[in-house]
Amino acid sequence: MIKAKGYAAQDAKSELAPWNFERREVGPHDVQFDILYCGVCHSDLHQVRDEWGFSIFPMVPGHELVGKVTKTGSQVKKHKVGDIVGVGCMVDSCRTCKNCEQGLEQFCHAGCAMTYNGYEMDKKTMTFGGYSNVTVVHEDFVLKVSEKLNLAAVAPLLCAGITTYSPLRYWKVGKGHKLGVLGLGGLGHMAVKFGVAFGAEVTVLSSSASKKEDALKLGAHKFIVTKDEEQFKSVTGYFDFIIDTVSAEHDYNQYIMLLATNGVHICVGAPPTPSQISSFSLIMGRKSLVGSLIGGIPETQEMLDFCAKHNIVSEIELIDIKDINTAYERMLKSDVRYRFVIDLATL
Ligand code: NAP
Ligand code: ZN
Ligand code: ZN
């Protein structure tokens, strides 16, 4: 076994603290890499505090990993020692079901192996995430990362990036569309960048008036403070699409009112509490309420290549790992500009 160290939560009530554990030895199809950077997703916080109700402990969070390959198994063809690579939210899947065959491993019928707070495909061996120094992952779930971008700022692409890229692509959001981005955090700011890159008119819908200048710098065309009644009303029936990245409970009906006829409200944010939707919100104007979960492996690679080509990375605040608990508190206050990334050299 390989000795690893990281930061873990021992239960839903404790803060993250240093923890030593073991990773499996490199198998024929495995890639071992030193983790250089790991982004901090709001899903880490939801899971560390067991807000979704399916947490297993001890938990080493982190599913936005970028690192450098140190060892490869005898059969590995896709990666070599010295390569810069990434791993997102999944580390394995069955590969044979209908969804896996279509590159939709996130919907694997057997349940994919999540990077942490989950089990390998044997459904017994716990997985541990990227708030750690080293990992071992099957080559098929290891992505190629261009070295020409700032690697710390690439890390958040592995979750925040693909989670917003995938639904915008699926719904073919682009020129001639009016896109609303609800919530300007880790996911939201990537949705702005992709929406702009795809040619849509992008409006940020934010509860934080102080983010206006940043939103416009990111490329947004408009900024609406959702708490300002007049501003809110001014975009009634306006959007073709809203991508909803809000992490906390909110009233979906209110935002669906902002959609034009045939408009689509895309949920990617995952508040722990269920919401009430009035059917009238949808039937008036033939509106759709849809969801999306990260993205499959082929599309994640496509997104990384797109970002390398168009020079797209995340806006980050690089932190020492000892400051992770403070970072969580700031995230809860919507005080992230716009993704915390852990520098694993500080571990
Ligand atoms: P984040 O960086 O904390 O951003 C969330 C943003 O939502 C905040 O910055 C804030 O933006 C807004 N917000 C927060 N609380 C709010 C409230 N009470 N009312 C209104 N707006 C509020 O989080 P993230 O990492 O982007 O993740 C966002 C959500 O997506 C989380 O629930 C996460 O678990 C989920 N997620 C889902 C997937 C998926 O595959 N579907 C993948 C990754 C993450 P403003 O200040 O602009 O209002
Ligand atoms: Zn995430
Ligand atoms: Zn499958």
Side-chain angles (χ1 to χ4, degrees):
M1 299 293 272
I2 295 166
K3 289 206 177 312
K5 58 180 179 172
Y7 264 51
Q10 298 298 328
D11 57 63
K13 299 263 179 283
S14 324
E15 296 212 310
L16 291 166
W19 188 58
N20 294 319
F21 60 106
E22 289 180 334
R23 304 268 195 197
R24 68 168 180 268
E25 285 293 345
V26 174
H29 286 284
D30 285 338
V31 172
Q32 179 179 337
F33 66 90
D34 285 342
I35 303 166
L36 300 173
Y37 301 105
C38 186
V40 179
C41 181
H42 206 115
S43 304
D44 300 348
L45 197 161
H46 288 312
Q47 292 177 94
V48 159
R49 299 192 178 174
D50 198 15
E51 292 174 353
W52 290 337
F54 53 79
S55 294
I56 48 176
F57 296 96
M59 185 191 301
V60 177
H63 56 207
E64 294 182 337
L65 293 68
V66 166
K68 194 172 201 169
V69 177
T70 54
K71 197 171 177 183
T72 56
S74 56
Q75 307 288 313
V76 170
K77 299 209 171 60
K78 295 180 177 158
H79 310 281
K80 57 179 193 312
V81 171
D83 282 358
I84 299 293
V85 293
V87 164
C89 300
M90 298 178 280
V91 288
D92 211 347
S93 73
C94 84
R95 293 118 195 278
T96 54
C97 75
K98 220 171 160 188
N99 285 335
C100 283
E101 273 178 1
Q102 291 177 58
L104 294 170
E105 298 86 352
Q106 73 274 35
F107 305 131
C108 174
H109 291 165
C112 64
M114 304 305 286
T115 303
Y116 71 88
N117 191 28
Y119 297 95
E120 297 285 354
M121 292 312 283
D122 65 6
K123 306 290 175 193
K124 278 190 270 203
T125 313
M126 281 175 79
T127 54
F128 298 113
Y131 297 7
S132 63
N133 59 338
V134 61
T135 193
V136 177
V137 178
H138 190 289
E139 63 170 329
D140 291 346
F141 284 75
V142 175
L143 298 139
K144 291 180 191 301
V145 167
S146 164
E147 291 185 39
K148 79 176 199 207
L149 298 173
N150 170 2
L151 296 183
V154 165
L157 300 179
L158 276 310
C159 174
I162 185 60
T163 300
T164 48
Y165 181 94
S166 182
L168 296 181
R169 280 303 200 208
Y170 179 81
W171 290 97
K172 300 188 170 54
V173 175
K175 269 202 181 67
H177 289 140
K178 293 189 171 77
L179 169 68
V181 174
L182 181 54
L184 194 64
L187 267 55
H189 91 289
M190 289 312 306
V192 171
K193 290 194 179 204
F194 289 131
V196 170
F198 300 164
E201 184 206 274
V202 178
T203 301
V204 170
L205 300 159
S206 173
S207 60
S208 314
S210 61
K211 293 180 181 174
K212 180 172 182 176
E213 206 178 305
D214 289 344
L216 300 179
K217 257 196 237 155
L218 288 166
H221 305 92
K222 285 181 187 227
F223 185 88
I224 299 285
V225 181
T226 49
K227 289 174 183 157
D228 181 318
E229 217 173 301
E230 226 163 86
Q231 287 190 36
F232 195 84
K233 273 197 187 144
S234 75
V235 283
T236 302
Y238 187 78
F239 299 105
D240 301 298
F241 298 93
I242 291 176
I243 183 163
D244 179 344
T245 75
V246 173
S247 52
E249 194 174 354
H250 58 292
D251 180 9
Y252 291 83
N253 303 287
Q254 210 192 347
Y255 297 102
I256 292 169
M257 278 193 328
L258 305 185
L259 291 173
T261 305
N262 297 324
V264 183
H265 186 103
I266 307 166
C267 300
V268 286
T273 41
S275 299
Q276 288 208 321
I277 312 282
S278 161
S279 98
F280 283 96
S281 300
L282 300 171
I283 60 185
M284 303 304 287
R286 195 164 51 198
K287 293 167 185 172
S288 304
L289 177 64
V290 305
S292 192
L293 175 71
I294 50 173
I297 293 297
E299 194 176 39
T300 305
Q301 189 62 62
E302 176 194 305
M303 178 274 312
L304 287 169
D305 297 345
F306 179 89
C307 288
K309 188 168 166 205
H310 298 275
N311 229 355
I312 293 175
V313 288
S314 181
E315 303 303 310
I316 63 158
E317 185 174 331
L318 197 61
I319 60 166
D320 290 2
I321 197 157
K322 67 172 172 40
D323 297 326
I324 185 62
N325 296 301
T326 317
Y328 279 6
E329 290 310 315
R330 283 183 52 195
M331 190 147 67
L332 278 176
K333 293 186 198 130
S334 300
D335 177 24
V336 190
R337 310 270 167 132
Y338 281 87
R339 195 60 140 189
F340 291 118
V341 173
I342 302 166
D343 180 355
L344 269 316
T346 63
L347 179 65

